């Protein structure tokens, strides 16, 4: 699928991604190269995604996006099966507060009332009883200190914790052989991930940032944090989780951005 944004470029990069991203992903880049996936223009784009090189220029961001899309989803899935762990960092590197982004400005965030909020479950899940925030916050937590990479060309290291998504899906009797996990959000944003990403050991339903409940702009009471996808796959203010075999376009994929958006 080629990227054809219907509107003028939405993203205006503010800060180039550091060279360290290149170092962190060197092994992965080499692994991909060995299998001959990166060729010609594709290699430039794919490397740009993983390295963040040259994404300080808007045309470069666009070409990166185009290349990401050209990077066949099936190939990406095949690579993923090797289970690459994303690099993790130390607490001293964590940016506080996290850096905000949404398809609207921070002033327009509508906070979710954690007291009345419920997580709804849909699709191929045996136990669809809704969850309160209190119930979710009582589940065992996993902490991830990982880099968030937005296609706008900026990144930051964040410290997220909350229940492991795989453990949660197992607990509610989700069909783990289904293809997709969808997230419908309180702001009517939608995102979905492939099941391999949902089951990845570094994918969590985040409830906390730097040890405290996530603040309103960053997805309170519940958001996704996956270490293997671009920023926009990390749905904030989750209202419904659905497990399904049906592919549906999501908020950004409808606008031409790559649906897979990761490794
Ligand atoms: N519900 C919802 N989730 C969302 C978005 C959004 O607009 N609505 N924006 C996405 C984008 S583009 C990014 S980069 C990250 C930003 O997360 P942060 O504000 O915690 O850094 O959230 C993602 N999740
Ligand atoms: Mo983003």
């Amino acid at each position: 699928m080629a990227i054809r944004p219907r509107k003028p470029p939405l993203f205006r990069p503010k800060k180039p991604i550091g060279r360290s991203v290149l170092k962190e992903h060197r092994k992965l880049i080499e692994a991909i190269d060995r299998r001959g996936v990166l060729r010609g223009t594709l290699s430039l784009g794919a490397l740009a995604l993983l390295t963040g090189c040259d994404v300080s220029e808007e045309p470069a961001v666009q070409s990166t996006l185009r290349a990401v899309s050209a990077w066949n989803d099936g190939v990406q899935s095949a690579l993923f099966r090797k289970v690459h762990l994303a690099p993790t960092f130390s607490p001293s590197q964590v940016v506080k507060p996290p850096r905000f982004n949404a398809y609207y400005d921070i002033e327009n965030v509508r906070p979710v009332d954690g007291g009345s909020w419920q997580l709804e479950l849909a699709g191929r899940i045996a136990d669809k009883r809704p969850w309160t925030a209190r119930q979710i916050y009582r589940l065992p937590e996993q902490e991830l200190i990982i880099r968030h990479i937005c296609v706008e060309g900026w990144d930051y290291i964040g410290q997220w914790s909350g229940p492991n998504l795989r453990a949660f899906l197992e607990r509610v009797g989700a069909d783990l052989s289904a293809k997709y996990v969808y997230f419908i959000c309180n702001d009517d944003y939608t995102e979905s991930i492939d099941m391999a990403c949902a089951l990845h050991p570094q994918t969590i339903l985040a409830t906390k940032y730097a040890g405290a409940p996530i603040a309103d702009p960053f997805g309170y009471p519940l958001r996704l944090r996956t270490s293997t996808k671009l920023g926009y796959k990390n749905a904030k203010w989750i209202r419904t989780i659905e497990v399904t075999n049906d592919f549906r376009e999501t908020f950004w994929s409808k606008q031409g951005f790559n649906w897979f958006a990761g490794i």
Side-chain angles (χ1 to χ4, degrees), residues 99-103 148 156 185 187 189 223 231 234 236-237:
R99 182 163 173 170
F100 175 80
N101 203 20
Y103 68 91
H148 174 111
Y156 69 90
C185 307
D187 58 353
Y189 190 81
R223 68 167 300 167
N234 294 273
K236 306 200 277 188
W237 311 287

Side-chain angles (χ1 to χ4, degrees), residues 11 101 148-152 154 231-232:
F11 295 122
N101 203 20
H148 174 111
I149 302 175
C150 176
V151 284
E152 288 182 17
W154 51 267
Y232 62 84

Side-chain angles (χ1 to χ4, degrees), residues 117-158:
W117 173 89
Q118 288 203 317
L119 173 68
E120 286 156 17
L121 301 178
R124 305 179 68 84
I125 292 178
D127 182 356
K128 292 199 185 68
R129 278 176 298 174
W131 287 67
T132 63
R134 196 185 256 255
Q135 289 171 320
I136 289 174
Y137 277 61
R138 273 204 295 256
L139 291 172
E141 288 177 358
Q142 174 185 357
E143 183 182 88
L144 286 176
I145 303 184
I146 49 173
R147 190 186 292 281
H148 174 111
I149 302 175
C150 176
V151 284
E152 288 182 17
W154 51 267
D155 64 289
Y156 69 90
I157 291 166

Side-chain angles (χ1 to χ4, degrees), residues 19-28 85 87 89 93 147 149 157:
R19 288 230 131 227
S20 56
V21 181
L22 170 60
K23 266 210 230 114
E24 286 157 21
H25 290 91
R26 189 177 297 283
K27 277 222 176 68
L28 175 61
L85 287 190
F89 303 87
Q93 294 170 284
R147 190 186 292 281
I149 302 175
I157 291 166

Side-chain angles (χ1 to χ4, degrees), residues 174-191:
D175 174 4
L176 302 187
S177 68
K179 288 187 180 155
Y180 311 108
V181 179
Y182 278 78
F183 302 92
I184 301 163
C185 307
N186 256 68
D187 58 353
D188 291 327
Y189 190 81
T190 50
E191 257 312 340

Side-chain angles (χ1 to χ4, degrees), residues 25-238:
H25 290 91
R26 189 177 297 283
K27 277 222 176 68
L28 175 61
I29 293 163
E30 283 166 4
I32 293 167
D33 241 349
R34 231 175 292 125
R35 276 168 236 142
V37 177
L38 305 180
R39 269 191 221 107
T41 54
L42 186 56
S43 67
L44 291 177
L47 283 171
L49 167 70
L50 293 166
T51 63
C53 291
D54 295 321
V55 288
S56 55
E57 297 295 326
E58 197 147 0
V61 172
Q62 290 307 314
S63 65
T64 300
L65 290 170
R66 238 176 284 121
V68 170
S69 271
W71 194 5
N72 178 276
D73 287 357
V75 173
Q76 293 180 61
S77 293
L79 288 170
F80 192 90
R81 273 179 217 117
K82 296 276 173 200
V83 182
H84 296 285
L85 287 190
T88 55
F89 303 87
S90 76
S92 64
Q93 294 170 284
V94 173
V95 172
K96 293 175 206 165
R99 182 163 173 170
F100 175 80
N101 203 20
Y103 68 91
Y104 44 83
D105 291 335
I106 194 164
E107 295 77 33
N108 298 322
V109 167
R110 279 182 297 128
V112 171
D113 172 18
S116 58
W117 173 89
Q118 288 203 317
L119 173 68
E120 286 156 17
L121 301 178
R124 305 179 68 84
I125 292 178
D127 182 356
K128 292 199 185 68
R129 278 176 298 174
W131 287 67
T132 63
R134 196 185 256 255
Q135 289 171 320
I136 289 174
Y137 277 61
R138 273 204 295 256
L139 291 172
E141 288 177 358
Q142 174 185 357
E143 183 182 88
L144 286 176
I145 303 184
I146 49 173
R147 190 186 292 281
H148 174 111
I149 302 175
C150 176
V151 284
E152 288 182 17
W154 51 267
D155 64 289
Y156 69 90
I157 291 166
Q159 180 178 13
W160 305 94
S161 37
N164 174 271
L165 180 57
R166 182 189 186 121
F168 182 80
L169 291 175
E170 281 171 349
R171 191 174 187 122
V172 296
D175 174 4
L176 302 187
S177 68
K179 288 187 180 155
Y180 311 108
V181 179
Y182 278 78
F183 302 92
I184 301 163
C185 307
N186 256 68
D187 58 353
D188 291 327
Y189 190 81
T190 50
E191 257 312 340
S192 58
I193 53 174
D194 48 289
M195 186 58 80
C197 172
L199 302 181
H200 187 278
Q202 292 171 308
T203 299
I204 65 170
L205 289 170
T207 55
K208 290 181 183 154
Y209 188 84
I214 293 175
D216 288 322
F218 307 104
Y220 178 81
L222 194 67
R223 68 167 300 167
L224 183 71
R225 266 312 308 172
T226 167
S227 56
T228 57
K229 300 282 187 196
L230 287 175
Y232 62 84
K233 299 306 280 184
N234 294 273
K236 306 200 277 188
W237 311 287
I238 296 171

